[in-house]
Amino acid sequence: MKDKLIIAFNISKTYDLFLQGKGDRHSIYDCTRHYWANVKKERAELAEFAFGVAHGKIVGVYKPISWRYVEHKSGHRIEFEGTEISDSPYLGLNVSEFFYKIQNPVRYIGCW
């Protein structure tokens, strides 16, 4: 994993709402791709993969195709369009060490 450029998003809150049938996200992809603050588009475009991470485990792996800024109720945010990699060997891996005691829900993994 360290030889790849990966952007990982902590989606624990929206993931839990999704599993309960609540909230406005209707898939793990929607939980992962939408409305991230403090992410520079130029940096995000370098990522080979985008991970959705819930409670320390990778629950979604995507190949980003494009990134764009959008207006959201909480301000200027970034989101991506991508394709799911449903057979990724990264699915289910524990990456909690990357999010341990970190408030920012976005982590860059690999040699940035």
Side-chain angles (χ1 to χ4, degrees), residues 29-93:
Y29 175 62
D30 282 341
C31 294
T32 305
R33 72 182 212 93
H34 282 301
Y35 313 132
W36 299 102
N38 303 322
V39 175
K40 292 189 182 207
K41 183 178 178 216
E42 297 77 20
R43 189 170 189 195
E45 288 174 332
L46 298 173
E48 296 175 58
F49 299 106
F51 290 170
V53 178
H55 307 290
K57 294 201 175 170
I58 299 171
V59 295
V61 177
Y62 306 94
K63 176 77 175 155
I65 296 169
S66 65
W67 294 85
R68 68 176 170 256
Y69 289 112
V70 295
E71 286 303 318
H72 185 258
K73 62 185 173 191
S74 53
H76 200 63
R77 305 296 176 158
I78 194 168
E79 67 180 16
F80 72 90
E81 294 284 336
T83 56
E84 182 179 13
I85 304 172
S86 58
D87 61 347
S88 172
Y90 298 120
L91 281 170
L93 286 181

